[in-house]
Amino acid sequence: MSEKLQAIRGMNDILPTQIAHWQRLEATAQRLLNGYGFGEIRLPLIEKTELFARSIGAATDIVEKEMYTFDDRNGDSLSLRPEGTASVVRAGIQQGLLHNTICKFWYSGPMFRHERPQKGRYRQFHQIGAECFGLAGPAIDAELILFTAQLWQELGLQGLELQINSLGDRQSRINFKAALVEYLQDYRDQLDADSLRRLETNPLRILDSKNAQTQSLLIKAPSLLDYIDTESRDHFETLKSLLDQQQLLYRVNDRLVRGLDYYNRTVFEWITTELGAQGTVCAGGRYDGLVEQLGGRATPAVGFAMGEERLVELLLQVGEAPKPTHLTFIGFDDQALPTLLKLAQQCRHQLLDHRIEIDYQGGNMGKKLNRANKTGVDIVVIIGGDELAEQTATVKFLREKRPQTTISQSQLVEFLET
Ligand code: HAM
């Protein structure tokens, strides 16, 4: 017997029974993003591997060991996108969208990373992201953060912590990196294999090591904020005061460095303690050098992306997603079908937020009513022999305490609207 086919580890089916929170998250984010002036952009799932190596960074975990990379039939190295920012920048340059103008894009969809799957960490996951090009000042950083705060509020999510940091400019990071490496060299014998490797390839990433011993070594390590350049410091101070004035709480975390190389100045993450180890639900920052690095003209940029699986998990903890009123039409036999279809169509045109179905399955009226009850139907519209003859419809409320009522078919929509 052949082996049962299974989905790939870390890649999930999302079933209709689970979809309500996804749709609410996406619809709310979409409405808000459009309202803040972001335009949706849809991009390929596959890009040249080089795009990600040159943007996210060749020495990052993502590019070093997490990408789904393959040669296509022409021998080009391609990768499934591990994130969206690189593609947005590529498209912006390629389509000539970024010159001397302000561009705001949002996107959503699946991303792919070959990480070790666990709760909140998958190999195919979904992001909703936003990127803004052409604004160098800290006000837009603040606005993006305020956007995310508004989204949490509209979704009823509480208890998320905002952490912010500044990475300074390139030179300040080089200076800080040198100071950090010098400090850690004295403790080489206490570092785990991963940190020892990063000491050579990407020392800043040691700052977010999960190893307790490494973390205790870092307490006395130099702080990034002591190394940042004056302009970046001013940028960061203004950002903080803008957030203060909007009464948005945050914590400055000088260890927050992010796992992608393209950032400078502002970086931020929204973190929850409700999801265990994978608590970052949204992350982003400034990447003023990336457009030029990928061949465009120097263009300041800032953005973020949120993890939909993690947000949906939080929404599930908050409670059930609201369900639309569920209406089912039942008829005594096939003779009622034309009337059922006619009435159902009338209702579908008018009662747009209802779920409206016709019971096509067999059985007598009792059986059909039972089925409606069991499947969570709220209202049943019955067309029996009498109703068919008299052009009426009987409405039965299965959840509400309202009397069963027989009305003329022409008044059905109006009756159901009240
Ligand atoms: P990131 O921190 O790599 O940043 O990912 C953003 C968010 O995607 C994370 O905070 C998390 O919620 C979610 N996420 C990442 N990996 C996984 C995974 N394996 N399973 C489930 N969720 C995951 C970026 O991707 C940047 N492009 C964000 C950005 C946009 N920065 C500027 N613009």
Side-chain angles (χ1 to χ4, degrees), residues 165-220:
N165 193 21
S166 176
L167 303 179
D169 63 9
R170 255 180 85 77
Q171 191 54 46
S172 40
R173 253 188 345 277
I174 291 169
N175 297 345
F176 171 68
K177 220 184 264 182
L180 183 69
V181 171
E182 194 185 315
Y183 170 83
L184 288 172
Q185 287 296 359
D186 292 344
Y187 301 98
R188 284 186 75 95
D189 54 334
Q190 296 176 45
L191 292 176
D192 61 12
D194 213 33
S195 292
L196 274 176
R197 192 175 54 81
R198 284 176 165 163
L199 202 55
E200 310 300 329
T201 57
N202 201 350
L204 290 191
R205 292 294 288 167
I206 298 176
L207 294 181
D208 50 29
S209 162
K210 297 272 186 289
N211 183 307
Q213 193 182 12
T214 309
Q215 277 303 328
S216 68
L217 284 179
L218 288 172
I219 292 171
K220 293 217 170 89

Side-chain angles (χ1 to χ4, degrees), residues 374-390:
K374 272 201 209 126
T375 51
V377 169
D378 300 293
I379 304 170
V380 186
V381 179
I382 303 164
I383 304 295
D386 292 348
E387 284 86 352
L388 195 62
E390 289 157 23

Side-chain angles (χ1 to χ4, degrees), residues 62 83-85 107 113 125-131 141 144-145 147-149 151-152 160-165 205 208 256-260 262-263 266-272 278-287 302-308 310-311:
I62 297 179
E83 57 109 50
T85 311
Y107 53 88
R113 296 184 194 175
F125 59 97
H126 297 77
Q127 286 185 344
I128 301 173
E131 316 287 351
D141 305 13
L144 289 184
I145 292 173
F147 165 87
T148 48
L151 181 61
W152 313 147
L160 290 168
E161 184 188 55
L162 171 64
Q163 296 191 359
I164 59 173
N165 193 21
R205 292 294 288 167
D208 50 29
L256 186 67
V257 288
R258 309 280 298 116
L260 305 92
Y262 48 62
Y263 293 109
T266 311
V267 287
F268 67 93
E269 290 191 0
W270 283 96
I271 299 170
T272 171
Q278 305 305 319
T280 304
V281 295
C282 175
R286 212 159 244 293
Y287 48 97
V302 56
F304 65 81
M306 44 203 162
E308 290 193 67
R310 295 179 190 180
L311 287 167

Side-chain angles (χ1 to χ4, degrees), residues 134-408:
L135 290 169
I140 186 69
D141 305 13
E143 191 177 295
L144 289 184
I145 292 173
L146 289 167
F147 165 87
T148 48
Q150 185 180 353
L151 181 61
W152 313 147
Q153 195 189 356
E154 299 221 357
L155 291 169
L157 297 179
Q158 284 170 348
L160 290 168
E161 184 188 55
L162 171 64
Q163 296 191 359
I164 59 173
N165 193 21
S166 176
L167 303 179
D169 63 9
R170 255 180 85 77
Q171 191 54 46
S172 40
R173 253 188 345 277
I174 291 169
N175 297 345
F176 171 68
K177 220 184 264 182
L180 183 69
V181 171
E182 194 185 315
Y183 170 83
L184 288 172
Q185 287 296 359
D186 292 344
Y187 301 98
R188 284 186 75 95
D189 54 334
Q190 296 176 45
L191 292 176
D192 61 12
D194 213 33
S195 292
L196 274 176
R197 192 175 54 81
R198 284 176 165 163
L199 202 55
E200 310 300 329
T201 57
N202 201 350
L204 290 191
R205 292 294 288 167
I206 298 176
L207 294 181
D208 50 29
S209 162
K210 297 272 186 289
N211 183 307
Q213 193 182 12
T214 309
Q215 277 303 328
S216 68
L217 284 179
L218 288 172
I219 292 171
K220 293 217 170 89
S223 166
L224 188 51
L225 289 173
D226 293 332
Y227 284 79
I228 66 173
D229 54 293
T230 318
E231 267 186 58
S232 296
R233 187 180 304 280
D234 290 348
H235 187 104
F236 194 49
E237 289 307 316
T238 311
L239 170 64
K240 286 193 292 182
S241 88
L242 287 171
L243 295 177
D244 290 338
Q245 286 161 52
Q246 300 302 316
Q247 273 128 39
L248 191 72
L249 294 179
Y250 57 84
R251 184 160 81 80
V252 175
N253 174 2
D254 69 356
R255 304 273 166 77
L256 186 67
V257 288
R258 309 280 298 116
L260 305 92
D261 280 355
Y262 48 62
Y263 293 109
N264 68 306
R265 293 198 174 157
T266 311
V267 287
F268 67 93
E269 290 191 0
W270 283 96
I271 299 170
T272 171
T273 51
E274 303 291 312
L275 295 178
Q278 305 305 319
T280 304
V281 295
C282 175
R286 212 159 244 293
Y287 48 97
D288 296 326
L290 185 58
V291 177
E292 196 176 14
Q293 199 178 309
L294 291 180
R297 280 187 230 166
T299 308
V302 56
F304 65 81
M306 44 203 162
E308 290 193 67
E309 279 76 3
R310 295 179 190 180
L311 287 167
V312 165
E313 192 61 37
L314 283 183
L315 289 171
L316 278 167
Q317 291 180 10
V318 175
E320 288 260 308
K323 285 202 186 95
T325 304
H326 188 178
L327 193 77
T328 288
F329 284 81
I330 62 180
F332 70 106
D333 72 7
D334 283 356
Q335 272 187 64
L337 278 177
T339 306
L340 294 180
L341 273 167
K342 184 183 80 184
L343 294 176
Q345 288 311 102
Q346 282 173 0
C347 290
R348 285 168 173 152
H349 283 278
Q350 298 300 320
L351 308 170
L352 294 182
D353 52 358
H354 285 46
R355 170 177 166 186
I356 298 168
E357 290 173 296
I358 298 171
D359 183 343
Y360 293 117
Q361 287 171 274
N364 59 23
M365 291 297 241
K367 198 163 179 189
K368 287 180 182 173
L369 270 175
N370 249 337
R371 195 152 49 222
N373 229 331
K374 272 201 209 126
T375 51
V377 169
D378 300 293
I379 304 170
V380 186
V381 179
I382 303 164
I383 304 295
D386 292 348
E387 284 86 352
L388 195 62
E390 289 157 23
Q391 301 206 351
T392 55
T394 297
V395 183
K396 193 173 167 66
F397 297 90
L398 300 185
R399 319 268 154 227
E400 268 177 286
K401 280 211 165 63
R402 280 175 72 176
Q404 177 170 319
T405 312
T406 300
I407 46 160
S408 132

